[in-house]
Amino acid sequence: MRLFSKFLQTIKSLLPTGLTDEQVALLSHLDTHQIYVENVRSLLGVSNKEALAILETAVRQGVFTKMVGVVRPDGSIGASAKSEAALPRVIHYVADDEDGYPEEVDLPTQTLKKVVFYSLDESKESTSYSSAS
Amino acid sequence: MKTLPPKVRKYVLYARAFGLTGVRLRVPILKDASVELRQRLLDLFPVANLRASFEVKGSKEAIAGTIAKNSDAANLKKIAAFVDSAMPLCKQHIHIFAHDGDTVLEDDFAGAERIVTASDHSLYVVKKTYQVVELSQPPQYASIDFLWPIRIEVKDDYLLVRFAVLEKSIPSYFKSDITIRSKSPSEEQMTATLLADGTVSAANLNKGIKALWAKDLIDANRLKWDMPYSSDSKNMNEAKGLKKTNPAEYEAICTRPLRMCSFECDGALKDVGVFSINPTDGFIGFTRYSKDGSNGDALIQQILADN
């Protein structure tokens, strides 16, 4: 939890009003594998711009990794990587055909939407623990 | 339209005279099929299996063409036996029905011709027509026929109706891109005849599939389920398994009737890979080609044994 504590410190330093106990509790329930700007915006009651600034600061401080996900037609993420160039060229997808039966299709990544999210680097987290202990 | 031999015409007229308008003439579909139709049937299967079974050399097209040209009864029997044995290698849609154990398979199944009869199953073939639009300049209407293999397996409590999936191969028969306007018959039309007399019904496989899920032999990455006031769905990111990532939600969903879901196998069933199932409607779909055709059967046996 060392990185997550650092994330909370980052937020506190950027928010003039600091964090309430309730906000800390809500943030601790976030799934740190995939945090979106909207998660932070709605939990802290800040603007989109301020939420983005908090997350980008956390990236610069090494707390989070910024990820790019490729979005399948059903809205789920087919694959993610640290950059768009590192994404696979083709995304495998199970879709329903016109009769409602499932069929597997391969979709070119470049034709699909991308989404940015932030992820707590667990490998770094465990390293922090081992170096701390 | 085929001209009927005088003798057959006479029986049809008699039947109509006695009001037997539902009398269907049994036309030998495989025997009467053109060489192209038989070749398209063989195109469904891997070239290695064609080569091994018919001992013909060359490209897949050449092998299938050579085999299809020969309409001798012995060759047709060999084609039928090959399709029967190689059917599990295809992408398949399997409709599973519960029955009272008394179902007897007949020579005719909703207009399909029985070409293989075994103690526990029959293989049928029916002509399936696709009406398409060729997206050329200008766009043109066209149609293409296929011999569609259907295998019905009789078990003590269940009937398994296996349809080979044809769709993926259709565009390869046209020079331009196509869109499919209609197809006939459909899987629903074919299986409707089984349901007609009321002794056969779609099998509910919820218990069987949830038992495999509880044993961690499978995990779902795409789900639909019924709620009291809605139909809910979940598509997992990066094909992650629901149970592994969210055990609490898995527990909640397990109390609901499942609709079309995709699962990935693990443990003893790992080789099966990915499959789709609509347990409430008794449907299982194998959306990939099977390497040896045996693993899908192991999965079905497990689901039915636990059901």
Side-chain angles (χ1 to χ4, degrees), chain A residues 58-111:
Chain A
V59 171
R60 281 196 298 278
Q61 292 178 348
V63 177
F64 282 130
T65 305
K66 189 174 181 176
M67 302 291 287
V68 182
V70 54
V71 185
R72 294 190 189 114
D74 64 16
S76 66
I77 291 178
S80 60
K82 288 181 181 172
S83 70
E84 206 166 322
L87 288 168
R89 289 176 58 211
V90 167
I91 296 298
H92 196 68
Y93 176 59
V94 178
D96 290 337
D97 68 14
E98 67 269 26
D99 296 324
Y101 292 118
E103 64 173 355
E104 293 196 41
V105 288
D106 287 328
L107 303 171
T109 299
Q110 61 174 14
T111 65

Side-chain angles (χ1 to χ4, degrees), chain A residues 15-62:
Chain A
L15 285 180
T17 54
L19 282 173
T20 64
D21 289 346
E22 192 189 356
Q23 284 173 323
V24 171
L26 288 169
L27 282 166
S28 67
H29 284 102
L30 269 181
D31 184 341
T32 52
H33 292 101
Q34 219 155 310
I35 295 179
Y36 293 89
V37 174
E38 176 56 16
N39 296 138
V40 174
R41 190 208 63 73
S42 60
L43 283 178
L44 301 179
V46 295
S47 70
N48 200 62
K49 200 173 166 185
E50 286 168 319
L52 183 63
I54 288 168
L55 286 164
E56 289 292 335
T57 305
V59 171
R60 281 196 298 278
Q61 292 178 348

Side-chain angles (χ1 to χ4, degrees), chain B residues 6-303:
Chain B
K7 216 172 181 178
V8 178
R9 256 175 74 88
K10 195 173 84 179
Y11 286 119
V12 172
L13 291 173
Y14 277 145
R16 285 183 185 157
F18 285 100
L20 300 173
T21 49
V23 167
R24 199 180 346 230
L25 283 175
R26 199 173 300 142
V27 179
I29 295 172
L30 184 62
K31 183 175 180 293
D32 281 7
S34 65
V35 173
E36 286 76 19
L37 272 181
R38 284 201 292 267
Q39 186 167 347
R40 280 175 209 149
L41 172 65
L42 295 166
D43 278 346
L44 287 172
F45 303 98
V47 64
N49 296 72
L50 282 169
R51 229 176 248 144
S53 293
F54 291 91
E55 293 168 1
V56 182
K57 287 179 183 169
S59 66
K60 184 175 182 181
E61 195 183 352
I63 292 171
T66 305
I67 301 164
K69 268 179 203 156
N70 184 348
S71 61
D72 290 352
N75 189 55
L76 294 180
K77 199 174 171 185
K78 200 170 175 185
I79 290 174
F82 169 75
V83 173
D84 189 40
S85 65
M87 183 106 171
L89 299 168
C90 291
K91 293 181 184 179
Q92 294 171 66
H93 289 166
I94 304 168
H95 297 257
I96 302 180
F97 299 91
H99 74 129
D100 57 11
D102 293 334
T103 304
V104 176
L105 300 179
E106 295 178 1
D107 286 344
D108 179 288
F109 165 57
E113 177 197 15
R114 175 152 62 179
I115 56 172
V116 170
T117 307
S119 59
D120 60 348
H121 73 273
S122 288
L123 178 72
Y124 296 85
V125 73
V126 71
K127 197 188 279 185
K128 183 168 187 171
T129 302
Y130 286 80
Q131 304 287 345
V132 304
V133 179
E134 283 190 83
L135 303 175
S136 51
Q137 283 299 335
Q140 287 182 332
Y141 288 124
S143 70
I144 186 166
D145 292 335
F146 286 87
L147 291 180
W148 194 21
I150 303 162
R151 192 158 92 161
I152 305 183
E153 297 163 25
V154 184
K155 300 187 182 294
D156 288 343
D157 300 318
Y158 299 101
L159 287 177
L160 274 62
V161 186
R162 292 176 187 259
F163 294 92
V165 176
L166 303 175
E167 267 76 353
K168 279 289 159 189
S169 62
I170 293 165
S172 65
Y173 292 98
F174 293 91
K175 284 177 188 162
S176 321
D177 287 342
I178 58 153
T179 58
I180 296 171
R181 291 168 58 219
S182 66
K183 50 195 159 188
S184 181
S186 66
E187 292 174 25
E188 283 67 30
Q189 284 170 319
M190 297 302 293
T191 54
T193 55
L194 285 172
L195 302 168
D197 73 354
T199 60
V200 172
S201 57
N204 188 328
L205 306 175
N206 275 285
K207 189 180 174 203
I209 199 72
K210 286 172 186 172
L212 264 62
W213 207 358
K215 293 177 198 167
D216 290 324
L217 289 168
I218 55 171
D219 203 354
N221 52 47
R222 184 172 180 258
L223 303 100
K224 280 186 191 150
W225 66 93
D226 288 344
M227 292 293 283
Y229 301 106
S230 64
S231 164
D232 285 11
S233 64
K234 184 171 276 289
N235 298 298
M236 301 298 292
N237 286 344
E238 303 186 51
K240 289 186 170 76
L242 173 76
K243 188 178 175 185
K244 228 171 252 173
T245 52
N246 198 338
E249 194 160 22
Y250 154 76
E251 293 288 347
I253 290 174
C254 268
T255 64
R256 301 288 172 193
L258 298 177
R259 295 286 171 181
M260 196 65 85
C261 302
S262 293
F263 284 89
E264 181 148 12
C265 295
D266 205 352
L269 294 173
K270 199 171 179 63
D271 286 349
V272 179
V274 176
F275 69 98
S276 295
I277 182 166
N278 180 340
T280 302
D281 289 340
F283 169 84
I284 299 177
F286 292 104
T287 45
R288 292 180 188 174
Y289 291 105
S290 168
K291 282 174 195 161
D292 64 2
S294 60
N295 297 321
D297 287 344
L299 171 75
I300 294 168
Q301 277 167 23
Q302 286 251 24
I303 293 171

